[in-house]
Amino acid sequence: MKIIVAGGDGFCGWPTALYLSKQGHDVAIIDNMVRRKIDNELHSNSITPIATLEERVAKWKELTGNEIRTYDGDLTHYDFLREVLKQEMPDAFVHFAEQRSAPYSMIDREHAVYTQENNVSGTLNVLYGIKEFVPDCHLIKLGTMGEYGTPNIPIEEGYIEIEHKGRKDVLPFPKQPGSFYHLSKVHDSHNITFACKIWGIRATDLNQGVVYGLDTDETQMDPVLTNRLDYDDVFGTALNRFIIPVCNRP
Ligand SMILES: NC(=O)c1ccc[n+]([C@@H]2O[C@H](COP(=O)([O-])OP(=O)(O)OC[C@H]3O[C@@H](n4cnc5c(N)ncnc54)[C@H](O)[C@@H]3O)[C@@H](O)[C@H]2O)c1
């Protein structure tokens, strides 16, 4: 399949791009490198040294012969996204390209607005792009477990059957997000559901829990392919901060 991995320079996107390429898929990455710029803003960095995206894909080609094309650009710029979609005509679009830190979104008004504009507009552009240029393309979108909050009842897979005043319906499970970042994901989920309903787009919205770990079979093939690992108080998740450096890297 032809697959675009948006956010393919990031923690989840880079190993995913390598994995899909290794399986024989034809992979292209979109990334605007904003995560590396945020490292500078926060005076932080990945605890593992990470090569540039150009160095990474060149090493991958040298080792496997597989080319991963890269597009340096922003999903919130529709002119850019439209050209990439027309050029690639993907069968699947794996969408990791969002601001993904709850603490970052809560720093102040500016960071909250940036997070919601970046995430909601980017995903809306992807939905329109699929509708206009590749209506059969399957969207795989990373949402978050945090969309649900922590209700006192078991969380159902997306929907819940409710009986109210003698009538029954199957409704989306209530969302109780705990930050402006998590709210951006809820807005995305609504937009994706609506786009599927009105345009017949195919989408999988994964309400993913924390992803932990560092290495995959592919990233271990060479130090240049090493994945990023955030350990700071804004982007480092507790699992990655306290467990992985101890377990994974003696
Ligand atoms: N890491 C986790 O534990 C986890 C858990 C649940 C969900 N997710 C979701 O998975 C996705 C990826 O998370 P991650 O940990 O890999 O984050 P990350 O910050 O490491 O990677 C995101 C990548 O997307 C890029 N990006 C951001 N906005 C962009 C835009 N507008 N246009 C183009 N590129 C853009 C960044 O430069 C970065 O390389 C996010 O949507 C996140 O919310 C992650």
Side-chain angles (χ1 to χ4, degrees):
M1 292 171 79
K2 290 200 77 176
I3 303 177
I4 288 182
V5 179
D9 188 49
F11 172 68
C12 296
W14 174 239
T16 302
L18 295 187
Y19 176 81
L20 293 171
S21 174
K22 188 81 178 294
Q23 303 301 305
H25 298 292
D26 183 5
V27 177
I29 284 175
I30 296 177
D31 205 298
N32 66 352
M33 304 298 145
V34 68
R35 186 63 195 83
R36 292 179 187 246
K37 290 170 197 150
I38 291 175
D39 280 341
N40 297 335
E41 177 197 345
L42 299 175
H43 305 291
S44 176
N45 206 341
S46 166
I47 197 169
T48 49
I50 45 171
T52 64
L53 184 56
E54 291 72 29
E55 291 167 337
R56 285 171 151 187
V57 294
K59 177 58 74 178
W60 181 248
K61 186 161 186 197
E62 183 190 317
L63 292 173
T64 64
N66 294 353
E67 189 190 359
I68 297 179
R69 291 172 300 287
T70 59
Y71 297 89
D72 186 344
D74 194 321
L75 293 187
T76 66
H77 299 161
Y78 193 62
D79 290 350
F80 158 77
L81 177 62
R82 180 173 45 203
E83 290 315 307
V84 178
L85 288 174
K86 281 203 287 200
Q87 197 160 320
E88 291 292 328
M89 299 300 285
D91 301 299
F93 191 106
V94 186
H95 179 14
F96 292 114
E98 294 203 335
Q99 192 300 96
R100 70 112 169 113
S101 161
Y104 189 83
S105 76
M106 300 302 288
I107 291 175
D108 57 16
R109 183 200 63 82
E110 217 180 359
H111 289 80
V113 170
Y114 164 72
T115 299
Q116 294 217 349
E117 283 184 350
N118 186 61
N119 295 0
V120 179
S121 307
T123 297
L124 202 48
N125 278 343
V126 171
L127 290 167
Y128 265 95
I130 289 175
K131 170 192 172 255
E132 282 187 33
F133 303 107
V134 276
D136 289 332
C137 174
H138 192 128
L139 170 65
I140 292 102
K141 161 69 167 53
L142 264 283
T144 165
M145 187 74 194
E147 291 185 38
Y148 291 111
T150 50
N152 196 34
I153 54 171
I155 296 172
E156 301 298 330
E157 196 72 51
Y159 297 88
I160 185 169
E161 188 177 323
I162 293 191
E163 189 169 347
H164 181 62
K165 295 189 177 174
R167 295 172 71 179
K168 272 190 190 170
D169 207 344
V170 177
L171 300 173
F173 195 93
K175 305 276 175 103
Q176 302 180 76
S179 74
F180 289 120
Y181 154 73
H182 290 104
L183 273 155
S184 76
K185 296 290 192 182
V186 174
H187 302 324
D188 282 344
S189 291
H190 288 312
N191 286 342
I192 293 168
T193 306
F194 186 67
C196 288
K197 211 186 276 183
I198 60 170
W199 297 330
I201 284 175
R202 294 181 298 146
T204 302
D205 185 0
L206 289 165
N207 283 204
Q208 173 70 47
V210 172
V211 179
Y212 62 95
L214 171 62
D215 299 315
T216 62
D217 290 345
E218 291 77 29
T219 63
Q220 280 182 315
M221 285 167 66
D222 190 281
V224 173
L225 303 179
T226 299
N227 199 14
R228 70 173 299 132
L229 186 71
D230 296 297
Y231 66 107
D232 62 290
D233 58 338
V234 178
F235 274 86
T237 59
L239 277 172
N240 276 345
R241 253 187 280 161
F242 300 119
I243 298 172
I244 304 309
V246 179
C247 298
N248 230 10
R249 291 273 152 137

